[in-house]
Amino acid sequence: MTYRPAEVGLSVKRLQHRHHRAMNQALAPLGLSLVQWDTLRHLHRNPDASLHDLAVLTFQTDQSFGSLATRMADRGLIERIPGPGRAVRHRLTAEGERLRAEGQVIADAILKESFHGLSPAELDQLGTLLNKALGPDAVQL
């Protein structure tokens, strides 16, 4: 075995850290952090998502996501809509959708550059292996 699991895990973490730093820096001119853009991205994919669902998708606690959602609603990026019972649903505003789309262009460029050394077949293989390691119960992002 060439790579031990601990080495692979550290490489995954380093790559993730590099992506986070680059994304935060590149999104700053839009007035967004990575976690804010990620929220917009998930709401685009999951309209009317609950606070809890968005917290899970963005790797946050319900409490921390609630604070983030309040700030994003105050900025006019998302709407908070009453759902059944005590549930609150979330939707993108036109401004939130505009910033999500601009952020997507930025994210695509950063990730394309990050993986430029891999052939299309290697990128597919990496994706397959990571999904296999995550297992069938992994949250689909």
Side-chain angles (χ1 to χ4, degrees):
M1 179 176 350
T2 304
Y3 295 101
R4 296 184 336 214
E7 293 167 334
V8 173
L10 185 56
S11 291
V12 168
K13 183 67 175 174
R14 284 181 176 149
L15 184 60
Q16 178 190 33
H17 183 68
R18 181 171 71 188
H19 290 160
H20 285 199
R21 281 193 339 256
M23 291 284 289
N24 273 319
Q25 183 177 9
L27 290 167
L30 298 179
L32 294 174
S33 67
L34 174 57
V35 72
Q36 291 169 328
W37 176 78
D38 196 37
T39 297
L40 298 175
R41 177 175 65 121
H42 285 297
L43 271 176
H44 176 76
R45 293 179 179 176
N46 304 284
D48 295 327
S50 71
L51 184 139
H52 176 73
D53 290 341
L54 290 166
V56 169
L57 290 167
T58 59
F59 305 102
Q60 297 183 61
T61 64
D62 288 1
Q63 182 178 358
S64 63
F65 187 81
S67 296
L68 174 68
T70 298
R71 291 190 309 272
M72 291 180 74
D74 289 347
R75 283 186 58 197
L77 303 178
I78 65 173
E79 295 176 304
R80 301 180 88 184
I81 300 162
R86 292 179 28 200
V88 174
R89 301 292 179 199
H90 299 80
R91 290 188 189 149
L92 289 176
T93 63
E95 178 66 2
E97 176 56 29
R98 182 186 71 77
L99 290 174
R100 183 214 55 85
E102 287 186 35
Q104 187 66 60
V105 172
I106 290 168
D108 289 346
I110 288 169
L111 295 172
K112 182 178 180 181
E113 175 61 27
S114 181
F115 293 114
H116 81 278
L118 299 179
S119 70
E122 289 171 327
L123 188 59
D124 283 346
Q125 182 181 24
L126 177 60
T128 297
L129 292 171
L130 288 171
N131 282 332
K132 185 176 182 178
L134 286 169
D137 296 330
V139 173
Q140 295 300 311
L141 305 175

